[in-house]
Amino acid sequence: MPHRLETESRKLLGRLREALAADNEGQARLDSVVNLIANSMQTEVCSIYLFRDTETLELCATKGLEREAVHQTRMRLGEGLVGRTAKSRSVINTADAPAEKGFRYMPETGEERFSSFCGVPIQRLGDVLGVLVVQSKAARKFTPDEVYALEIVAMVIAEMTELGAFVGEGAALSARHQQPVMLRGSVAQEGASEGKVFLHEPRVVVTNPISDDPEKENDRLYAAIEELRKAVDNMLVGARSADTDQIQVLEAYRMFANSDGWLRRMKADVENGLSAEAAVEKEQSLARARLSKSADPYMRERLHDLDDLSNRLLRILTGQGADAKADMPDNPILVARNIGPGELLEYGKKLKGIVLEEGSVGSHATIVARAWAIPLVINAKGVVREALNGDPILVDGEQGIAHLRPDDTVHAAFRDKLAMQTRAQERYASIRDLPAETKCGNVISLQMNAGLIADLPSLAGSGAEGVGLFRTELQFLIRNQMPKRAELSALYSRVVNAAAGKRVAFRTLDIGSDKVLPYMKPNDEPNPAMGWRAIRVGLDKPGVLRMQLQALLRAANGGPLAVMFPFITQIREFRDAKAEMDKAIAREKILGHPLPSSLEVGAMLETPSLAFAPDAFFDEVDFVSIGGNDLKQFFFAADRENERVRKRYDTLDVSFLSFIERVIKRCEIHNTPLSFCGEDAGRPVEALCFAALGLRSLSMRPASIGPVKHLLRRVDLSEVKAVMDEAIANGDQSVRRAVADWLVYQV
C-alpha cells in the first residue's frame, strides 16, 4: 500500500477520534463521521446505514444524499446493494451501480445521480451492525487500497457503535445491550430460573480502536504474539501423550499463531492507524465473514481455531477475562455459543440455567444439564452477541425462551410462574415417600436416570425407587484418554454405595452417533445415528467392553448387579454381548474376586426390529428397557437432532402407542420385566398413557418423579385406557387431546 495512503488513513482516523471525542449527541457524531470520510475519500457521497432490527437497515447519516431521507429510507436485509452488502458480509464495489444485480432505486435519496458504489459491512466478530457506503458520479471502481481504507474505518465505526457512541432517537440509534430482548430457541431441559448472565467466553471490549503511535502498537502486538506462540508450544508439549487428533488440533493452532500472513495483515492495520487489539479484531471479523461462507467443513472448523486464537490474543493485549470464573455472579446463568461436557462439569451445580446459541437435544452438554435438572435452552440465535456479563436474564425451559434484560411486566409474570413451581414442588415433597399407586390400585415403579456420581444424592430426595438407567459413557466423554479399569471400578463402586441398596441398572458404553469420544477418531459415516455405535462398537472392540464389564463385576463386590446393553437390534447381538459377560465372569472367578450375589443382564429396545425378535430373546433376556428417545426417531424416521422434523411427531401418536403395546404384551407373555426410559417417561401425560397401556416401571430425570407421581395417584388407569380407546376408535391420529380434555375434569 502506498505510504501516502497509509498517512492519509492515519490522518482520517485521527480526525475521527477527535470527532468521536467531541461532546456531541450521537446523530451529530454520525454526521461528522460521514463528512470526514467523504472529504478524505474525495467522494460526493458517504452514508451510514445501521440495523434498526434484525431484518431492517435504516439510513442514519449521509453527506451527498437528500437530508430528508435520513431515518426515513429503510430496506430489508438482502434488498438493494446495501442490503446485499449486509447479507453477504462482503464488499460490493461497482462502477455502474444501476446495472448491478439487485440494485434498488430509492427516489427519496436522490442517488440516481451517482454511478459508482462501494458498500463495506460494518461488522464486529461476524456480527454485522450496518453498512458504510461511498458513491461518486464518475463511473469508476474504487481501488483495493481505497477499499482497504474503508474497511479500517468501518472497523472503528463498529467498535464505537458497540461502545454507544452513536446513541440517539429511534430504533437504529438505540443503545446496544440495554433494551429488553426475547430470544426464542429450543427446549433441551425443562424448568425455569432467574439469574445473571455469565458468559463462558467473556466479550473483550476494545475501548481504544485508534492509535497515533504505530511503532508502540506494533511492539505490543509482537509481544502478545510471542506470548501466544509460547502458550501454544507449551500446550503441544503437554499433549505429546495425547491422541493424534488432539495433537493435530494444536498443530493447527501453532500454524495459525505462526502465520506470516496473519501477522502481516495485522501489522498493516496498525500502520494505518488501528490499535493492536483493533487490528486483531478486524482480521478476526474478516476471517469470520470469509470462512463462515465456505462449503468445506474443514475450513469452517478452522474458523473455530482462528476464533479461539484471536480471543486468546485479545485477552493477552487487554488483560480482560484472565480469571473470568472468579467474577461469577450470584445465581449465574451460563451463556455460550456451545460448550463441551468437561467444560460444563467444571462449573458444577452452581449454575442456575444455561442458554446456548448452538447445541442439540442429544449433545453431551444437554445430557449433563438434564442430569443436574438445570433449565437449558439451545439454538437461541444471537444470545452471545446480545448478552453482557451481569445482565439480568430469565430462562423458560418449558417454552425454549430466554428473556434478556426483561421489563417489569415480563419479570412479574415470570416470578408468578416460579412461585407456582415452588408451590408444586412443596406438594411433590409431601408425597415423596408414598408409592405411585393409582386410584385403581396399580403401583408404578418410578426410577431415575443418572450419569454422574453427583446425581446420586437426588435418589433419596426425589422419591425414586432406584436408578433405571446409569449412563456410563459420561465418564469416558469428559476425559482426554481411555479410563483405566481400576478407575471405572472405583467409580461404579461409589455409585453402588451411594444407591444404598436400591437397584442401579448400568448401561454399558453407549458411544457413536452424536457421542464421539475425544480420543477416538470419528468415522466418516453419512448417517452416524444408524451407523457404528453403542453395542456395535463394543462387539467390534471387545477389549473395551470386557474391561467395563470386569469393572462393574468388581464394583458389585459380591452384591446384586444389573447391566444392560444399548442399541440391541437382534438376538444375535444380545447373545454375543452376553457371551462377553460370561467371559468376564469366568475371568473374575479365576482371579478369586467375589461374584455378584445376583446378576441381571438386560437389553435396551431402541429400534423397532427388536420388538419382532424370536421368542427366545424374551426368554433369555433378564429385563428389557425401552429407550424412548432413540426408538421414537427410528420409528418415525425423524432425526431427533433435526429441529425441522423432530417436533412433527407425537409420542402419543396412535401408531407409536400401538407399537409400545405390542412390546408390553410380548414381555407379559414371557414374564420379562419391562421399563420405559427416556424424556417422555418424565412427562406426566405421556407417563399416564404408558401406565394405562400396562407399563409398570418408568425411568426419568429426578425432577420429573414428583409431577408424574402426583398425577398417577389421582387417576384410574382403566378410565384413561377407555378415553384412549375411544380416541383410537374415532380415528384420531393422537390420543393427546382426548386425554388432556379428560384430565381437565378429573384432576
Side-chain angles (χ1 to χ4, degrees), residues 672-732:
T672 306
L674 175 67
S675 64
F676 189 103
C677 172
E679 293 303 303
D680 289 321
R683 297 188 171 99
V685 175
E686 280 86 336
L688 178 63
C689 291
F690 292 155
L693 290 178
L695 273 164
R696 294 294 175 261
S697 179
L698 304 172
S699 188
M700 62 201 71
R701 63 189 180 97
S704 296
I705 290 174
V708 170
K709 183 186 290 187
H710 178 72
L711 180 58
L712 287 172
R713 287 177 56 83
R714 303 176 72 184
V715 297
D716 184 320
L717 293 181
S718 62
E719 294 178 10
V720 179
K721 185 64 165 63
V723 172
M724 295 168 65
D725 289 342
E726 183 178 355
I728 294 171
N730 289 337
D732 292 352

Side-chain angles (χ1 to χ4, degrees), residues 532 534-543 545:
W532 194 59
I535 197 60
R536 297 169 179 175
V537 177
L539 294 177
D540 287 351
K541 290 186 174 292
L545 178 59

Side-chain angles (χ1 to χ4, degrees), residues 488-546:
L488 292 179
S489 179
L491 170 72
Y492 301 152
S493 181
R494 289 170 60 199
V495 172
V496 171
N497 292 337
K502 292 185 176 180
R503 179 179 181 272
V504 179
F506 290 93
R507 181 178 69 187
T508 60
L509 191 57
D510 185 8
I511 57 169
S513 185
D514 60 306
K515 292 177 284 193
V516 179
L517 299 183
Y519 42 87
M520 181 180 288
K521 189 171 185 178
N523 288 309
D524 185 16
E525 296 182 301
N527 191 347
M530 300 178 72
W532 194 59
R533 54 174 295 194
I535 197 60
R536 297 169 179 175
V537 177
L539 294 177
D540 287 351
K541 290 186 174 292
V544 177
L545 178 59
R546 212 169 296 153

Side-chain angles (χ1 to χ4, degrees), residues 430-632:
S430 69
I431 62 172
R432 180 185 61 197
D433 299 324
L434 299 176
E437 183 174 0
T438 64
K439 290 172 70 174
C440 53
N442 287 290
V443 178
I444 313 300
S445 174
L446 301 183
Q447 303 184 55
M448 62 174 269
N449 300 330
L452 301 164
I453 189 68
D455 299 337
L456 272 299
S458 301
L459 187 54
S462 67
E465 296 177 34
V467 179
L469 166 66
F470 190 89
R471 304 180 183 94
T472 61
E473 60 272 6
L474 285 181
Q475 304 308 317
F476 288 77
L477 288 166
I478 62 178
R479 295 169 178 256
N480 290 323
Q481 57 187 10
M482 184 75 71
K484 294 179 172 60
R485 181 173 51 205
E487 293 173 330
L488 292 179
S489 179
L491 170 72
Y492 301 152
S493 181
R494 289 170 60 199
V495 172
V496 171
N497 292 337
K502 292 185 176 180
R503 179 179 181 272
V504 179
F506 290 93
R507 181 178 69 187
T508 60
L509 191 57
D510 185 8
I511 57 169
S513 185
D514 60 306
K515 292 177 284 193
V516 179
L517 299 183
Y519 42 87
M520 181 180 288
K521 189 171 185 178
N523 288 309
D524 185 16
E525 296 182 301
N527 191 347
M530 300 178 72
W532 194 59
R533 54 174 295 194
I535 197 60
R536 297 169 179 175
V537 177
L539 294 177
D540 287 351
K541 290 186 174 292
V544 177
L545 178 59
R546 212 169 296 153
M547 176 193 71
Q548 190 178 23
L549 294 176
Q550 288 174 340
L552 287 166
L553 290 167
R554 294 178 189 182
N557 195 29
L561 177 64
V563 177
M564 57 183 174
F565 298 115
F567 211 65
I568 297 293
T569 63
Q570 53 188 338
I571 188 172
R572 179 174 58 82
E573 288 175 332
F574 177 74
R575 285 173 172 168
D576 289 346
K578 181 69 162 53
E580 292 299 330
M581 173 63 86
D582 293 339
K583 292 175 186 176
I585 291 173
R587 177 67 176 165
E588 292 301 287
K589 193 172 183 179
I590 291 171
L591 294 173
H593 294 153
L595 299 179
S597 57
S598 64
L599 177 63
E600 299 175 75
V601 180
M604 292 202 74
L605 190 154
E606 298 172 90
T607 63
S609 64
L610 196 60
F612 300 91
D615 289 341
F617 167 75
F618 293 94
D619 289 330
E620 294 174 23
V621 72
D622 292 325
F623 66 94
V624 172
S625 179
I626 296 174
N629 297 343
D630 263 329
L631 176 61
K632 194 162 64 173

